[in-house]
Amino acid sequence: MPFNIGIGGLLLILVVVLLLFGPSKLPELGRAVGRTLTEFKESTRGLTSGDKEEENKEEKKS
């Protein structure tokens, strides 16, 4: 089920977030989201590179 959010929907979401957290908390919230995404990317890279290393080890044993 794809979500088609237009510009109006994004603006509404941003206004609601601004009202809930206030302007002073938004930079902190943005940094936390950025750190979370960075950690997620690093862990997925580690998993995919770990799979490739295991495949290479199996090929060398054969």
Side-chain angles (χ1 to χ4, degrees), residues 32-53:
V33 169
R35 283 188 211 119
T36 302
L37 288 175
T38 302
E39 289 176 10
F40 179 75
K41 286 180 183 179
E42 289 175 358
S43 65
T44 55
R45 282 188 195 131
L47 290 174
T48 57
S49 66
D51 290 342
K52 289 178 184 176
E53 290 175 1

Side-chain angles (χ1 to χ4, degrees), residues 9-27:
L10 288 175
L11 287 175
L12 180 64
I13 291 170
L14 289 174
V15 168
V16 169
V17 168
L18 183 63
L19 289 173
L20 288 175
F21 294 105
S24 62
K25 291 286 184 179
L26 286 182

